[in-house]
Amino acid sequence: MAHANRHVKLDEVWDKLLDGINHVYQFQSMKKQAYMLLYTHVYNYCISNPNQLKGSIVSSKGPIADLNKINPQHGANIVGGELYNKLKNYLKNYLEDVCQCGIDLQGENVLRFYTTRWEKYQFSSKMAMETWQKVVFQPLYKQVTHACLELIKAERNNEIINTHLISGVIQSYVALGFTEDTTNSNQMISPTLTIYKDFFELQFLQDTEQFYRLEAATFLVHNSVTAYLRKVAQRLDEEIHRVQSYLHSSTLPALIKKVEEVLIRDQLETIYTEAKTLLHDERNHDLALLFKLVSRIPNATNELKRIVENHIYEMGFQIIERINTSAINDPKLYIETIIDIHKKFLALVQDAFGGEQGFTAALDKACGKFINNNLVTQTAGSTTKSPELLARYCDALLRKGSKAVEETDLEEKFNQIMIVFNYVEDKDVYQKFYSKMLAKRLVGQLSASDDYEESMISKLKQACGFEYTSKLQRMFQDIGVSKSLITEYEKYCEIHHIDNKVDFSIMVLSSNSWPFSASPTFALPIELKSTFDSFTEFYTHRHNGRKLTWLHQHSKGELQTYFTSQKYILQVSTYQMVVLLLFNRVLTWTVEQLQDETQIKLELLLQILLGLIKTKLLICSDINEDEFDDDLKENDIKTNYSIRLATDFKSKKLRINLNVPLKSVEQKDIEGVHRTIDEDRKMVIQAAIVRIMKARQSLKHALLMQEVIQQLSSRFRPKIPVIKKCIDILIEKEYLERQSNEKDFYYCKNTISADNYAVNNKNHYCLNFFLKPPSIELTKQCQVCFDEKSEEDFRPNYNRQCSHTKRQMCTDYVRCPELNCGMDFIEL
């Protein structure tokens, strides 16, 4: 280059540059050649002194050092430093003149002035932010910031504003965060948003708090809380949009937190009160909005969950209270009311609270409380009423003649039943009632479908485990075995030429699986005796060592009338059959004679006679026709009354069912179940204590109580006084002992093994005592077929199969061989 070696004077170069700089800051157009000429002047000046250049441009990436990275305090000591300082002075003087033009402006005028000048200056002087900050920003920032805040306030008051002005100011504040590094000429400080945060955001957040605090107080005075919640949601959306439109994104978290604190957190008490109103009025859509807002505040939903739980409990309790009189004896009404309550509030939790886990838990707690403790249970005097009614509801569904005949309907109802079942605390009570009713359905062949029965048992097994349903499943196994047994008996009769038997079928049930007890003895009629004897002989020959106990109270049969012109088929119980067959011998009997002949207890006989008299199959001449109404009781029949067969009996039906369950018998069955619950629970609690103490050997009283409750909570909630009483019983039996110096510390006195069972009055091992004296050994009987000659060894933990019945022995516990006991051994 021609001028490269010629010394260029500073003043000459500056004069040439000044003309071009004036064009730039007066926003006049320049041709490309003019820009290149200015660049050439600067370049020539910088290389005019080689000695200075040598040490100053070593670190530069190009032939010219970046002026934006030069330390202004030492600019005269480097190449081009004097030129750089002249440019800085020019910008300072220029910006001072600019600032003077806007120093007296306010409001939108100062914003318009500031943003316009900033945009032009920023475009032409990207390297001179520090000069703008000192010369323009410092004198004007109060006016500019105040003007921005006033515009934002106006926008919050629904006025239309020029957001472009605020956006320009914010961009300026953010850009001014780029400042020159005074310690390193090769680096720039990254944007720290310090100016934006200190000179705008801080004041903006304070104004926001003040604005919304005043608005909240004013709005709630003139509007409903629901309208206020909608306003809050609207304000939050507006603030988000405001940040997205013209504020810096870093402001959003602090801004939203501030709005939440003022509009939601500080108004929580008012919002909670409104939540109760919305729950009562069933305004789920408004509740959803309330929940959405409250969930923004940490831990604020805890109180809301408590409110929802209390509301569900109170509503459930009140609804059941309204049907108390009818529901106490109407399982369908009671259970379907509970199902409807749960369905209603489940929809509430899902619609209003999005199925959030905490609110689902609140629903579960509330349902558990009002299902186990309501006016029906209080009237009955026991929390066991709910599981009893639930079992009776299941029984009604699973019996023949149920209206819910569609499989889909029943499956849906089973699922609903399991919902209620999961809330029931006394699951052992439900098990007892369900087991008893299932047994009656199977024996009476009253089940609507075996598939339905197995489906329900499967759901119970899934909920409570195998042990809970093991007896129920063995009932079905017994029914299957009985069917094959009948076929074998028929072959037996053919081989032995037994022709004098009546047409009958039989079910042989294992006593430890079925909740039946032996029936009272009575005189078997001659018409049935030969059949009974032949089957007994067949069975004892096939299963040596077993004992058959006839359950006549669960038996039934059919009789055909020959004394009437029209023949009728009478479906009767065994007891009714015994009574009616006597009239083949004599047409008239006294009550006393009937009892002597049948040996049936008088109380039961009177109930049977009352039913037959009401059907007009038998006639009692000592009772006036006026007394034949619903008020006639069995006690109205005296032992000296004469009973005769109604030879002129007529009926519209050819097949007449007289085998109607006696209400008094049903009531006694229910009372009997309730009586056994407490005693059974005591044995289960004692067994749980033994299991725990065997595992721990020593334990403190509080920890033992806690573990017992924890182990048994899936079946029932044991009461503290009962647990204490069971501990005392075990101490008295010398299975546990207290330490002399620590009364609340228990020790396992003896080493308890799986074979340590007590003996009942027939020398068989039973759960009722479950611990035995060391001198007595486990019975040699097979625990499945009860055959004393069986070679099978069914000691606990031996997984073997009975060679007689081919049934698998459960390894978890041993069963009591006493047929009338029906109890289980607990695996210790």
mmCIF file of all heavy atoms in Angstrom, residues 363-402:
data_model
loop_
_atom_site.group_PDB
_atom_site.id
_atom_site.type_symbol
_atom_site.label_atom_id
_atom_site.label_comp_id
_atom_site.label_asym_id
_atom_site.label_seq_id
_atom_site.Cartn_x
_atom_site.Cartn_y
_atom_site.Cartn_z
ATOM 1 N N LEU A 363 -61.219 -39.562 50.089
ATOM 2 C CA LEU A 363 -62.454 -40.287 49.782
ATOM 3 C C LEU A 363 -62.463 -41.638 50.480
ATOM 4 O O LEU A 363 -63.480 -42.036 51.082
ATOM 5 C CB LEU A 363 -62.568 -40.468 48.267
ATOM 6 C CG LEU A 363 -63.668 -41.416 47.765
ATOM 7 C CD1 LEU A 363 -65.050 -40.861 48.085
ATOM 8 C CD2 LEU A 363 -63.536 -41.667 46.269
ATOM 9 N N ASP A 364 -61.340 -42.345 50.427
ATOM 10 C CA ASP A 364 -61.264 -43.671 51.058
ATOM 11 C C ASP A 364 -61.455 -43.580 52.572
ATOM 12 O O ASP A 364 -62.178 -44.395 53.165
ATOM 13 C CB ASP A 364 -59.915 -44.320 50.743
ATOM 14 C CG ASP A 364 -59.776 -44.660 49.265
ATOM 15 O OD1 ASP A 364 -60.813 -44.747 48.584
ATOM 16 O OD2 ASP A 364 -58.641 -44.823 48.790
ATOM 17 N N LYS A 365 -60.824 -42.598 53.192
ATOM 18 C CA LYS A 365 -60.966 -42.442 54.649
ATOM 19 C C LYS A 365 -62.403 -42.128 55.025
ATOM 20 O O LYS A 365 -62.952 -42.702 55.980
ATOM 21 C CB LYS A 365 -60.042 -41.320 55.136
ATOM 22 C CG LYS A 365 -58.560 -41.671 55.113
ATOM 23 C CD LYS A 365 -57.727 -40.503 55.623
ATOM 24 C CE LYS A 365 -56.234 -40.801 55.539
ATOM 25 N NZ LYS A 365 -55.421 -39.645 56.005
ATOM 26 N N ALA A 366 -63.018 -41.221 54.287
ATOM 27 C CA ALA A 366 -64.402 -40.820 54.592
ATOM 28 C C ALA A 366 -65.352 -42.000 54.411
ATOM 29 O O ALA A 366 -66.216 -42.251 55.271
ATOM 30 C CB ALA A 366 -64.816 -39.659 53.696
ATOM 31 N N CYS A 367 -65.196 -42.734 53.316
ATOM 32 C CA CYS A 367 -66.077 -43.890 53.070
ATOM 33 C C CYS A 367 -65.872 -44.953 54.145
ATOM 34 O O CYS A 367 -66.847 -45.563 54.621
ATOM 35 C CB CYS A 367 -65.814 -44.466 51.685
ATOM 36 S SG CYS A 367 -66.394 -43.429 50.331
ATOM 37 N N GLY A 368 -64.620 -45.192 54.508
ATOM 38 C CA GLY A 368 -64.354 -46.163 55.562
ATOM 39 C C GLY A 368 -65.023 -45.786 56.868
ATOM 40 O O GLY A 368 -65.551 -46.654 57.587
ATOM 41 N N LYS A 369 -65.054 -44.498 57.181
ATOM 42 C CA LYS A 369 -65.659 -44.054 58.442
ATOM 43 C C LYS A 369 -67.171 -44.208 58.436
ATOM 44 O O LYS A 369 -67.742 -44.756 59.376
ATOM 45 C CB LYS A 369 -65.266 -42.594 58.714
ATOM 46 C CG LYS A 369 -63.827 -42.431 59.176
ATOM 47 C CD LYS A 369 -63.572 -41.070 59.802
ATOM 48 C CE LYS A 369 -63.611 -39.963 58.767
ATOM 49 N NZ LYS A 369 -63.213 -38.648 59.347
ATOM 50 N N PHE A 370 -67.852 -43.731 57.376
ATOM 51 C CA PHE A 370 -69.317 -43.784 57.445
ATOM 52 C C PHE A 370 -69.873 -45.178 57.117
ATOM 53 O O PHE A 370 -71.008 -45.497 57.503
ATOM 54 C CB PHE A 370 -69.964 -42.718 56.554
ATOM 55 C CG PHE A 370 -70.022 -43.024 55.084
ATOM 56 C CD1 PHE A 370 -70.937 -43.929 54.579
ATOM 57 C CD2 PHE A 370 -69.182 -42.376 54.190
ATOM 58 C CE1 PHE A 370 -71.005 -44.188 53.218
ATOM 59 C CE2 PHE A 370 -69.235 -42.629 52.839
ATOM 60 C CZ PHE A 370 -70.156 -43.553 52.350
ATOM 61 N N ILE A 371 -69.087 -46.024 56.439
ATOM 62 C CA ILE A 371 -69.557 -47.387 56.188
ATOM 63 C C ILE A 371 -69.475 -48.222 57.458
ATOM 64 O O ILE A 371 -70.377 -49.022 57.750
ATOM 65 C CB ILE A 371 -68.736 -48.035 55.046
ATOM 66 C CG1 ILE A 371 -69.126 -47.407 53.700
ATOM 67 C CG2 ILE A 371 -68.957 -49.547 55.002
ATOM 68 C CD1 ILE A 371 -68.267 -47.860 52.534
ATOM 69 N N ASN A 372 -68.426 -48.031 58.236
ATOM 70 C CA ASN A 372 -68.251 -48.827 59.460
ATOM 71 C C ASN A 372 -68.927 -48.222 60.676
ATOM 72 O O ASN A 372 -69.094 -48.905 61.687
ATOM 73 C CB ASN A 372 -66.755 -49.001 59.736
ATOM 74 C CG ASN A 372 -66.072 -49.875 58.703
ATOM 75 O OD1 ASN A 372 -66.268 -51.080 58.669
ATOM 76 N ND2 ASN A 372 -65.286 -49.253 57.831
ATOM 77 N N ASN A 373 -69.305 -46.962 60.570
ATOM 78 C CA ASN A 373 -69.970 -46.313 61.713
ATOM 79 C C ASN A 373 -71.022 -45.346 61.198
ATOM 80 O O ASN A 373 -70.711 -44.235 60.789
ATOM 81 C CB ASN A 373 -68.934 -45.582 62.564
ATOM 82 C CG ASN A 373 -69.555 -44.954 63.804
ATOM 83 O OD1 ASN A 373 -70.663 -45.316 64.202
ATOM 84 N ND2 ASN A 373 -68.854 -44.009 64.397
ATOM 85 N N ASN A 374 -72.256 -45.791 61.192
ATOM 86 C CA ASN A 374 -73.378 -44.958 60.768
ATOM 87 C C ASN A 374 -74.591 -45.295 61.623
ATOM 88 O O ASN A 374 -74.496 -46.103 62.559
ATOM 89 C CB ASN A 374 -73.663 -45.148 59.275
ATOM 90 C CG ASN A 374 -73.859 -46.604 58.902
ATOM 91 O OD1 ASN A 374 -74.734 -47.271 59.440
ATOM 92 N ND2 ASN A 374 -73.040 -47.112 57.987
ATOM 93 N N LEU A 375 -75.712 -44.685 61.319
ATOM 94 C CA LEU A 375 -76.887 -44.879 62.162
ATOM 95 C C LEU A 375 -77.397 -46.314 62.098
ATOM 96 O O LEU A 375 -77.965 -46.821 63.074
ATOM 97 C CB LEU A 375 -77.998 -43.906 61.744
ATOM 98 C CG LEU A 375 -79.067 -43.634 62.823
ATOM 99 C CD1 LEU A 375 -78.434 -43.060 64.069
ATOM 100 C CD2 LEU A 375 -80.130 -42.686 62.286
ATOM 101 N N VAL A 376 -77.197 -46.991 60.971
ATOM 102 C CA VAL A 376 -77.620 -48.398 60.872
ATOM 103 C C VAL A 376 -76.799 -49.252 61.822
ATOM 104 O O VAL A 376 -77.347 -50.080 62.564
ATOM 105 C CB VAL A 376 -77.486 -48.900 59.420
ATOM 106 C CG1 VAL A 376 -77.690 -50.405 59.359
ATOM 107 C CG2 VAL A 376 -78.491 -48.203 58.514
ATOM 108 N N THR A 377 -75.479 -49.075 61.830
ATOM 109 C CA THR A 377 -74.628 -49.860 62.730
ATOM 110 C C THR A 377 -74.876 -49.472 64.182
ATOM 111 O O THR A 377 -74.828 -50.325 65.070
ATOM 112 C CB THR A 377 -73.145 -49.666 62.386
ATOM 113 O OG1 THR A 377 -72.793 -48.278 62.553
ATOM 114 C CG2 THR A 377 -72.865 -50.053 60.952
ATOM 115 N N GLN A 378 -75.149 -48.187 64.405
ATOM 116 C CA GLN A 378 -75.434 -47.748 65.773
ATOM 117 C C GLN A 378 -76.757 -48.317 66.273
ATOM 118 O O GLN A 378 -76.875 -48.719 67.433
ATOM 119 C CB GLN A 378 -75.451 -46.221 65.827
ATOM 120 C CG GLN A 378 -74.082 -45.585 65.604
ATOM 121 C CD GLN A 378 -74.140 -44.073 65.501
ATOM 122 O OE1 GLN A 378 -75.188 -43.465 65.731
ATOM 123 N NE2 GLN A 378 -73.029 -43.446 65.117
ATOM 124 N N THR A 379 -77.755 -48.368 65.395
ATOM 125 C CA THR A 379 -79.046 -48.945 65.774
ATOM 126 C C THR A 379 -78.902 -50.437 66.066
ATOM 127 O O THR A 379 -79.513 -50.965 67.005
ATOM 128 C CB THR A 379 -80.078 -48.738 64.648
ATOM 129 O OG1 THR A 379 -80.188 -47.337 64.371
ATOM 130 C CG2 THR A 379 -81.438 -49.289 65.046
ATOM 131 N N ALA A 380 -78.074 -51.112 65.255
ATOM 132 C CA ALA A 380 -77.849 -52.539 65.468
ATOM 133 C C ALA A 380 -76.952 -52.794 66.673
ATOM 134 O O ALA A 380 -76.894 -53.916 67.184
ATOM 135 C CB ALA A 380 -77.221 -53.157 64.228
ATOM 136 N N GLY A 381 -76.256 -51.745 67.117
ATOM 137 C CA GLY A 381 -75.395 -51.870 68.285
ATOM 138 C C GLY A 381 -74.063 -52.525 68.003
ATOM 139 O O GLY A 381 -73.389 -52.985 68.922
ATOM 140 N N SER A 382 -73.656 -52.587 66.722
ATOM 141 C CA SER A 382 -72.398 -53.240 66.392
ATOM 142 C C SER A 382 -71.920 -52.776 65.025
ATOM 143 O O SER A 382 -72.718 -52.581 64.104
ATOM 144 C CB SER A 382 -72.565 -54.765 66.387
ATOM 145 O OG SER A 382 -71.394 -55.391 65.922
ATOM 146 N N THR A 383 -70.589 -52.631 64.884
ATOM 147 C CA THR A 383 -70.015 -52.267 63.587
ATOM 148 C C THR A 383 -70.054 -53.428 62.607
ATOM 149 O O THR A 383 -69.761 -53.257 61.423
ATOM 150 C CB THR A 383 -68.553 -51.814 63.769
ATOM 151 O OG1 THR A 383 -67.804 -52.885 64.364
ATOM 152 C CG2 THR A 383 -68.470 -50.588 64.664
ATOM 153 N N THR A 384 -70.418 -54.622 63.089
ATOM 154 C CA THR A 384 -70.457 -55.798 62.219
ATOM 155 C C THR A 384 -71.708 -55.831 61.348
ATOM 156 O O THR A 384 -71.853 -56.747 60.533
ATOM 157 C CB THR A 384 -70.404 -57.087 63.056
ATOM 158 O OG1 THR A 384 -71.541 -57.125 63.938
ATOM 159 C CG2 THR A 384 -69.135 -57.146 63.880
ATOM 160 N N LYS A 385 -72.583 -54.858 61.495
ATOM 161 C CA LYS A 385 -73.811 -54.856 60.694
ATOM 162 C C LYS A 385 -73.507 -54.633 59.220
ATOM 163 O O LYS A 385 -74.154 -55.233 58.355
ATOM 164 C CB LYS A 385 -74.773 -53.771 61.216
ATOM 165 C CG LYS A 385 -76.177 -53.882 60.641
ATOM 166 C CD LYS A 385 -76.858 -55.165 61.072
ATOM 167 C CE LYS A 385 -78.279 -55.267 60.541
ATOM 168 N NZ LYS A 385 -78.909 -56.561 60.897
ATOM 169 N N SER A 386 -72.549 -53.774 58.915
ATOM 170 C CA SER A 386 -72.226 -53.499 57.510
ATOM 171 C C SER A 386 -71.732 -54.741 56.772
ATOM 172 O O SER A 386 -72.240 -55.063 55.691
ATOM 173 C CB SER A 386 -71.203 -52.364 57.408
ATOM 174 O OG SER A 386 -71.798 -51.122 57.705
ATOM 175 N N PRO A 387 -70.738 -55.481 57.296
ATOM 176 C CA PRO A 387 -70.327 -56.704 56.583
ATOM 177 C C PRO A 387 -71.439 -57.745 56.502
ATOM 178 O O PRO A 387 -71.528 -58.477 55.516
ATOM 179 C CB PRO A 387 -69.138 -57.215 57.401
ATOM 180 C CG PRO A 387 -69.190 -56.490 58.702
ATOM 181 C CD PRO A 387 -69.851 -55.191 58.444
ATOM 182 N N GLU A 388 -72.302 -57.794 57.512
ATOM 183 C CA GLU A 388 -73.428 -58.739 57.461
ATOM 184 C C GLU A 388 -74.369 -58.394 56.315
ATOM 185 O O GLU A 388 -74.755 -59.264 55.512
ATOM 186 C CB GLU A 388 -74.201 -58.708 58.784
ATOM 187 C CG GLU A 388 -75.457 -59.566 58.762
ATOM 188 C CD GLU A 388 -76.392 -59.270 59.928
ATOM 189 O OE1 GLU A 388 -75.908 -58.792 60.973
ATOM 190 O OE2 GLU A 388 -77.610 -59.501 59.777
ATOM 191 N N LEU A 389 -74.743 -57.118 56.205
ATOM 192 C CA LEU A 389 -75.652 -56.699 55.129
ATOM 193 C C LEU A 389 -74.988 -56.855 53.760
ATOM 194 O O LEU A 389 -75.666 -57.172 52.775
ATOM 195 C CB LEU A 389 -76.087 -55.247 55.352
ATOM 196 C CG LEU A 389 -77.007 -55.012 56.553
ATOM 197 C CD1 LEU A 389 -77.231 -53.522 56.778
ATOM 198 C CD2 LEU A 389 -78.337 -55.708 56.357
ATOM 199 N N LEU A 390 -73.680 -56.650 53.697
ATOM 200 C CA LEU A 390 -72.978 -56.832 52.429
ATOM 201 C C LEU A 390 -73.014 -58.298 52.001
ATOM 202 O O LEU A 390 -73.237 -58.610 50.818
ATOM 203 C CB LEU A 390 -71.526 -56.354 52.557
ATOM 204 C CG LEU A 390 -70.668 -56.461 51.293
ATOM 205 C CD1 LEU A 390 -71.250 -55.612 50.171
ATOM 206 C CD2 LEU A 390 -69.231 -56.037 51.588
ATOM 207 N N ALA A 391 -72.810 -59.217 52.947
ATOM 208 C CA ALA A 391 -72.870 -60.645 52.636
ATOM 209 C C ALA A 391 -74.279 -61.051 52.205
ATOM 210 O O ALA A 391 -74.458 -61.846 51.270
ATOM 211 C CB ALA A 391 -72.424 -61.456 53.850
ATOM 212 N N ARG A 392 -75.279 -60.495 52.863
ATOM 213 C CA ARG A 392 -76.680 -60.814 52.496
ATOM 214 C C ARG A 392 -77.014 -60.243 51.111
ATOM 215 O O ARG A 392 -77.786 -60.844 50.359
ATOM 216 C CB ARG A 392 -77.624 -60.259 53.559
ATOM 217 C CG ARG A 392 -77.577 -61.041 54.870
ATOM 218 C CD ARG A 392 -78.309 -60.340 56.001
ATOM 219 N NE ARG A 392 -79.711 -60.114 55.676
ATOM 220 C CZ ARG A 392 -80.547 -59.400 56.440
ATOM 221 N NH1 ARG A 392 -80.086 -58.852 57.570
ATOM 222 N NH2 ARG A 392 -81.800 -59.245 56.085
ATOM 223 N N TYR A 393 -76.448 -59.102 50.771
ATOM 224 C CA TYR A 393 -76.659 -58.527 49.441
ATOM 225 C C TYR A 393 -76.037 -59.434 48.371
ATOM 226 O O TYR A 393 -76.646 -59.675 47.317
ATOM 227 C CB TYR A 393 -76.028 -57.141 49.397
ATOM 228 C CG TYR A 393 -76.130 -56.444 48.049
ATOM 229 C CD1 TYR A 393 -77.354 -55.976 47.582
ATOM 230 C CD2 TYR A 393 -74.997 -56.261 47.257
ATOM 231 C CE1 TYR A 393 -77.444 -55.334 46.347
ATOM 232 C CE2 TYR A 393 -75.083 -55.619 46.031
ATOM 233 C CZ TYR A 393 -76.306 -55.160 45.586
ATOM 234 O OH TYR A 393 -76.402 -54.534 44.360
ATOM 235 N N CYS A 394 -74.837 -59.945 48.642
ATOM 236 C CA CYS A 394 -74.196 -60.888 47.721
ATOM 237 C C CYS A 394 -75.055 -62.138 47.565
ATOM 238 O O CYS A 394 -75.218 -62.662 46.452
ATOM 239 C CB CYS A 394 -72.812 -61.280 48.229
ATOM 240 S SG CYS A 394 -71.616 -59.944 48.231
ATOM 241 N N ASP A 395 -75.578 -62.613 48.674
ATOM 242 C CA ASP A 395 -76.414 -63.821 48.636
ATOM 243 C C ASP A 395 -77.638 -63.611 47.742
ATOM 244 O O ASP A 395 -78.002 -64.485 46.947
ATOM 245 C CB ASP A 395 -76.845 -64.176 50.059
ATOM 246 C CG ASP A 395 -77.692 -65.431 50.120
ATOM 247 O OD1 ASP A 395 -77.209 -66.489 49.672
ATOM 248 O OD2 ASP A 395 -78.849 -65.346 50.573
ATOM 249 N N ALA A 396 -78.256 -62.443 47.848
ATOM 250 C CA ALA A 396 -79.439 -62.157 47.024
ATOM 251 C C ALA A 396 -79.075 -62.115 45.536
ATOM 252 O O ALA A 396 -79.848 -62.571 44.695
ATOM 253 C CB ALA A 396 -80.060 -60.836 47.460
ATOM 254 N N LEU A 397 -77.895 -61.594 45.209
ATOM 255 C CA LEU A 397 -77.485 -61.515 43.807
ATOM 256 C C LEU A 397 -77.164 -62.886 43.226
ATOM 257 O O LEU A 397 -77.435 -63.146 42.046
ATOM 258 C CB LEU A 397 -76.256 -60.611 43.671
ATOM 259 C CG LEU A 397 -76.460 -59.105 43.804
ATOM 260 C CD1 LEU A 397 -75.118 -58.399 43.693
ATOM 261 C CD2 LEU A 397 -77.416 -58.581 42.752
ATOM 262 N N LEU A 398 -76.560 -63.740 44.046
ATOM 263 C CA LEU A 398 -76.069 -65.016 43.548
ATOM 264 C C LEU A 398 -77.103 -66.129 43.586
ATOM 265 O O LEU A 398 -76.856 -67.227 43.077
ATOM 266 C CB LEU A 398 -74.831 -65.440 44.355
ATOM 267 C CG LEU A 398 -73.593 -64.552 44.144
ATOM 268 C CD1 LEU A 398 -72.536 -64.843 45.192
ATOM 269 C CD2 LEU A 398 -73.022 -64.764 42.752
ATOM 270 N N ARG A 399 -78.250 -65.872 44.165
ATOM 271 C CA ARG A 399 -79.310 -66.877 44.208
ATOM 272 C C ARG A 399 -80.074 -66.922 42.900
ATOM 273 O O ARG A 399 -80.114 -65.942 42.155
ATOM 274 C CB ARG A 399 -80.289 -66.583 45.347
ATOM 275 C CG ARG A 399 -79.810 -67.022 46.709
ATOM 276 C CD ARG A 399 -80.800 -66.660 47.786
ATOM 277 N NE ARG A 399 -80.381 -67.164 49.079
ATOM 278 C CZ ARG A 399 -80.745 -68.336 49.591
ATOM 279 N NH1 ARG A 399 -81.587 -69.116 48.912
ATOM 280 N NH2 ARG A 399 -80.310 -68.733 50.767
ATOM 281 N N LYS A 400 -80.689 -68.028 42.652
ATOM 282 C CA LYS A 400 -81.561 -68.146 41.484
ATOM 283 C C LYS A 400 -82.701 -67.143 41.598
ATOM 284 O O LYS A 400 -83.208 -66.879 42.696
ATOM 285 C CB LYS A 400 -82.141 -69.561 41.404
ATOM 286 C CG LYS A 400 -81.144 -70.617 40.988
ATOM 287 C CD LYS A 400 -81.799 -71.983 40.927
ATOM 288 C CE LYS A 400 -80.795 -73.045 40.491
ATOM 289 N NZ LYS A 400 -81.389 -74.406 40.462
ATOM 290 N N GLY A 401 -83.079 -66.604 40.451
ATOM 291 C CA GLY A 401 -84.176 -65.640 40.453
ATOM 292 C C GLY A 401 -83.728 -64.216 40.599
ATOM 293 O O GLY A 401 -84.552 -63.301 40.642
ATOM 294 N N SER A 402 -82.396 -63.990 40.671
ATOM 295 C CA SER A 402 -81.903 -62.623 40.769
ATOM 296 C C SER A 402 -82.234 -61.871 39.484
ATOM 297 O O SER A 402 -82.099 -62.395 38.383
ATOM 298 C CB SER A 402 -80.394 -62.620 41.011
ATOM 299 O OG SER A 402 -79.874 -61.325 40.934
#
